[in-house]
Amino acid sequence: MWQGRAPGPLATVAMLLSALLGTVYVIVVGVRAGQGGSRIATVPAPPAERPDAAHPDDDRHWRLAGLCYVNRDDPAILVQKRIGVGWTLNFGNPRCVLLLAAVLAALLAGVLVPGLV
C-alpha cells in the first residue's frame, strides 16, 4: 500500500466487508437497546435502596432550554439528554467541572505550545 500499489481484489472485498459488518452490528445493537438502553428489560431498584439517586428529568435542574444539566445532589457525571440522542454532562458535579477544565487545558496547551501536537 505504501509503495503506490493498489490492494488486490480480495483485500478490497475484505476491507469493505468488515466495514459493512461493523456498521450493521452497530445499527442492530442500537435498535435493540434503544436510546440510553430504554428497551433493555431491567428491574428497577426500590427507592429505599438508592437514597442518593436524583431524578434527572426534573425541570429545576435543566438550564439553557433543556441543554445543560446542573444538579449538585446527583452523583452522576453523565445523564441522558432531554433533547436529541446521547448524553450530557452534569455541570453541578465537581468531578465533571474538573474533567472539563482538564480537557480545555489540554486543548489550550496543544494550541499554544508549538510542536506539542
Side-chain angles (χ1 to χ4, degrees):
M1 180 174 190
W2 300 109
Q3 288 82 25
R5 292 178 285 174
L10 195 59
T12 304
V13 168
M15 287 187 284
L16 291 174
L17 187 62
S18 65
L20 179 66
L21 288 175
T23 303
V24 167
Y25 177 76
V26 168
I27 290 171
V28 167
V29 168
V31 168
R32 290 190 69 196
Q35 180 182 356
S38 62
R39 294 189 183 127
I40 297 174
T42 59
V43 177
E49 289 183 21
R50 298 181 51 199
D52 63 334
H55 199 297
D57 201 31
D58 192 355
D59 290 334
R60 295 176 295 154
H61 304 299
W62 289 94
R63 308 284 191 270
L64 296 174
L67 297 176
C68 294
Y69 181 73
V70 181
N71 185 357
R72 295 187 193 282
D73 298 329
D74 191 352
I77 293 177
L78 292 172
V79 293
Q80 190 173 352
K81 284 184 176 182
R82 281 184 130 181
I83 301 169
V85 177
W87 299 85
T88 189
L89 297 171
N90 177 6
F91 292 102
N93 190 327
R95 294 180 297 166
C96 171
V97 175
L98 289 175
L99 176 68
L100 189 60
V103 168
L104 289 176
L107 288 173
L108 190 61
V111 170
L112 295 179
V113 179
L116 187 63
V117 178

